[in-house]
Amino acid sequence: MVQSEIDASPAPPETTRNQTEVYAVHGADPEVLAYAMAKYSRSSLSMKESLREISSQRAEHFLNTFYFQYGHRSIADLAHVAFAVERLSLLAAIILVDEQRWDGQERSTRYQNFRKSGWYLPDFSLSPASRGVFTEGIEALFAEYHVCAERMSEHLKARTARPPEMKEEAFNRIMKARAFDVARYLLPLASNTSLGQIVNARTLETQISRLLSDPHEEVRQLGERLREAAAGSAWNVQGEALTALQRSIAELDPALGITAETLLTREVKIAPTLVKYAAPNDYVIATRSELAAAAAALMNNAPIEPADMVVDLVEDQPLEIDLATTLLYGVSHYSYRQIARQVAALDEARRNEIIALGARHRGRHDELLRAFSAGQGLRFDILMDIGGFRDMHRHRRCVQILQPFTNAHGYEVPDGLADAGLLQQYNSAMEQAHAAFAKVAHAGLEEHARYVLPLGTRTRALFKMDFAEALYIAELRSAPAGHFSYRRVAWEMYQAVARRHPALAPYFRVADIHQPVDLLQR
């Protein structure tokens, strides 16, 4: 009896030989695909079944309900979109890519001649005299950039033997790239560049909001254009071919041509729902101003202490001191160490007031400022040229706190200038550019003045990371094929960890930057 009842019961589902199915998905609009993926948590339908039944209107309704009303922002992580951003300044590009979740590529100063790129001119309608100073400084830098690139290339070719098996064209290309490594120090932040990015819609929304909150007019306009591009019609790489195909179909069969038009030439908007509420962030704007005032009051116009090292691995601090110091670091030009001493001397109540400033204006859906990302074991305060920083900026598995660009830290002198007879001209060009910055800033236009600063200008940035990331950066960036600027930084990071934690030094596979470099190695 028992056996017959068991035999009569339904067979259990197959669990021992699951035939897992994996397939790529192509052709779905980003928001529709995000909706379909989100349905896994609310429906037993397969991806194919979900996509077949979803319309863009249903996706918009779903996102309006769950994304905006219930705060399910993780849905936007599922919608990835690609953008081309062309003819923006180097300064704007640095600000644009300052995201911890970001993938993209920018024009390389090593392989492209930026003299032909043009440059961004801020609005000087209220100060024509400042415009003259600014323009003269920019033009002088580009002129010297051209001379430096040409003469350095000839100098390197003269002192480097071309291997018999290497074609002259390849040899000249490598020497030109090495020359650009030096000449790029003279490129002003106003120089135009272009980049491509692929980001998820959540990152895009916060990116647009951050850009709209920036003090630079160009960057705010960039935020508006990014929002418009996400909400408007996307460019279809196959658009012309699909239009031609639709016309051919219509010529053969007008009725079928109408159907084909709906499918082949429809307008695609990549993220019209997910970014439509992106706006300037009042929390960021108000907090930035209040923290700057707090930093000025705390430091009381103290002189910036000269840096003894390129990389300073700062000591462990109590969490409260680290938070207050980091909050003030990003709105000042002082080193982490100099600010931390002042913060540590405060009583607990005053220190907590600084921390409270960082969260006072936080809205319901605002993420805390990046400065609150604390607790990492290794904190490197790095003073380096802006050009080298742009390379280090690509490392996303760490927390980076950038300071505003300034002439307060002087400038770097790249290797090889003296041997090529270019040192005096270089120093003159850099000092002229820094003097132009000072004049324009003194006229109350510091945001405009930053564009005239060359990439050789020193800037501070705080990098917080774990041991694995420190090892990764040191190994990757110390390689002989890399730029000599960040090779030095990577080496100093390794040296700093080795001094503090000698037992961990053997785990680093770094290249000694003091060894001769084969200029033909890429």
Side-chain angles (χ1 to χ4, degrees):
M1 184 65 176
V2 174
Q3 182 65 40
S4 63
E5 289 178 356
I6 293 176
D7 292 341
S9 62
E14 180 65 59
T15 59
T16 57
R17 292 192 181 91
N18 286 342
Q19 295 300 307
T20 301
E21 183 179 8
V22 179
Y23 50 90
V25 179
H26 169 72
D29 297 351
E31 285 193 356
V32 172
L33 186 58
Y35 174 22
M37 290 189 174
K39 285 194 69 175
Y40 274 129
S41 67
R42 297 169 177 85
S43 169
S44 61
L45 293 178
S46 71
M47 178 68 69
K48 294 176 183 177
E49 291 168 331
S50 293
L51 285 172
R52 289 190 187 109
E53 75 165 23
I54 293 172
S55 66
S56 59
Q57 291 80 10
R58 289 188 62 187
E60 181 178 355
H61 174 74
F62 173 85
L63 294 171
N64 279 326
T65 301
F66 288 93
Y67 187 74
F68 297 113
Q69 295 182 26
Y70 298 112
H72 289 194
R73 300 188 68 203
S74 61
I75 295 172
D77 291 339
L78 304 174
H80 284 72
V81 293
F83 291 92
V85 186
E86 300 176 347
R87 292 183 303 281
L88 74 164
S89 71
L90 288 172
L91 186 148
I94 291 171
I95 297 171
L96 173 70
V97 307
D98 188 34
E99 293 287 341
Q100 292 182 274
R101 298 180 295 268
W102 188 87
D103 292 296
Q105 286 288 331
E106 185 183 343
R107 285 186 63 197
S108 171
T109 57
R110 169 174 278 185
Y111 301 112
Q112 297 193 46
N113 187 340
F114 271 66
R115 188 175 181 230
K116 304 174 183 177
S117 67
W119 48 277
Y120 173 76
L121 178 65
D123 181 7
F124 283 102
S125 57
L126 299 179
S127 182
S130 295
R131 172 176 176 154
V133 172
F134 180 92
T135 301
E136 183 180 351
I138 295 290
E139 291 177 345
L141 284 171
F142 271 111
E144 189 57 35
Y145 167 79
H146 173 69
V147 171
C148 183
E150 293 292 323
R151 289 181 55 181
M152 182 58 67
S153 178
E154 294 303 317
H155 170 72
L156 292 175
K157 284 191 286 186
R159 65 185 290 259
T160 306
R162 177 170 65 90
E165 66 276 10
M166 179 177 287
K167 294 183 179 180
E168 185 173 359
E169 181 183 359
F171 175 75
N172 290 338
R173 185 170 57 249
I174 294 173
M175 293 298 101
K176 195 171 186 179
R178 290 291 188 180
F180 279 144
D181 278 353
V182 175
R184 83 171 189 188
Y185 281 67
L186 291 155
L187 283 175
L189 284 169
S191 305
N192 282 338
T193 186
S194 297
L195 60 85
Q197 69 170 27
I198 300 175
V199 294
N200 65 51
R202 183 186 339 200
T203 296
L204 176 62
E205 183 185 27
T206 58
Q207 182 186 51
I208 292 173
S209 177
R210 182 174 56 80
L211 297 177
L212 293 173
S213 309
D214 195 84
H216 301 89
E217 181 183 11
E218 180 200 10
V219 177
R220 295 194 300 273
Q221 292 175 348
L222 176 59
E224 292 171 358
R225 292 189 176 113
L226 202 56
R227 181 174 57 190
E228 291 168 0
S233 298
W235 179 74
N236 187 343
V237 66
Q238 301 294 340
E240 292 183 5
L242 292 173
T243 298
L245 175 61
Q246 186 273 329
R247 288 172 180 167
S248 297
I249 294 172
E251 290 175 0
L252 297 173
D253 187 330
L256 186 58
I258 294 174
T259 302
E261 183 178 9
T262 303
L263 292 173
L264 299 178
T265 64
R266 68 184 183 87
E267 180 184 44
V268 175
K269 298 180 179 181
I270 58 170
T273 309
L274 294 171
V275 302
K276 67 180 180 180
Y277 294 126
N281 190 312
D282 295 334
Y283 166 46
V284 170
I285 295 171
T287 304
R288 180 170 56 222
S289 175
E290 292 184 2
L291 286 174
L298 178 68
M299 303 310 293
N300 194 27
N301 292 319
I304 297 174
E305 296 174 353
D308 296 328
M309 57 194 77
V310 174
V311 176
D312 184 11
L313 178 56
V314 296
E315 292 86 357
D316 290 338
Q317 301 279 3
L319 182 58
E320 292 80 5
I321 292 178
D322 183 32
L323 283 173
T325 300
T326 306
L327 284 164
L328 300 180
Y329 179 96
V331 293
S332 69
H333 299 300
Y334 296 97
S335 70
Y336 181 97
R337 189 179 295 274
Q338 189 173 356
I339 299 172
R341 282 203 308 271
Q342 296 298 108
V343 170
L346 297 173
D347 58 43
E348 183 179 359
R350 180 70 184 98
R351 192 159 52 241
N352 288 339
E353 287 178 7
I354 295 174
I355 298 173
L357 284 178
R360 175 180 299 170
H361 299 285
R362 184 186 177 206
R364 178 183 176 188
H365 297 297
D366 290 324
E367 294 182 8
L368 277 172
L369 299 178
R370 187 183 302 177
F372 280 97
S373 299
Q376 292 81 0
L378 300 173
R379 286 163 293 173
F380 299 94
D381 188 1
I382 299 176
L383 181 63
M384 68 183 305
D385 61 284
I386 298 173
F389 163 75
R390 290 174 68 243
D391 295 311
M392 295 290 291
H393 197 196
R394 298 172 187 168
H395 294 282
R396 309 288 167 186
R397 206 178 66 190
C398 59
V399 176
Q400 300 180 26
I401 307 296
L402 287 59
Q403 290 189 345
F405 299 128
T406 177
N407 66 343
H409 307 301
Y411 57 87
E412 293 285 351
V413 178
D415 297 343
L417 280 177
D419 291 343
L422 294 168
L423 182 58
Q424 184 175 351
Q425 291 175 245
Y426 173 85
N427 287 335
S428 177
M430 296 296 285
E431 288 165 9
Q432 181 181 348
H434 280 207
F437 168 88
K439 289 180 181 178
V440 176
H442 185 71
L445 298 169
E446 186 167 352
E447 282 77 19
H448 291 18
R450 292 183 186 126
Y451 286 94
V452 80
L453 290 173
L455 292 185
T457 303
R458 290 188 184 124
T459 189
R460 282 194 187 281
L462 183 64
F463 286 72
K464 299 184 175 185
M465 64 191 73
D466 57 24
F467 173 74
E469 181 67 358
L471 182 143
Y472 172 75
I473 293 176
E475 291 185 350
L476 177 69
R477 295 300 182 184
S478 66
H483 193 282
F484 45 79
S485 173
Y486 62 67
R487 287 195 71 213
R488 180 185 176 196
V489 171
W491 177 259
E492 293 296 334
M493 288 176 64
Y494 156 67
Q495 291 283 301
V497 175
R499 286 191 297 269
R500 182 77 55 81
H501 307 283
L504 300 179
Y507 297 108
F508 286 80
R509 300 172 181 173
V510 294
D512 188 343
I513 65 169
H514 300 102
Q515 295 298 316
V517 173
D518 180 1
L519 295 180
L520 299 177
Q521 182 179 350
R522 308 304 294 161

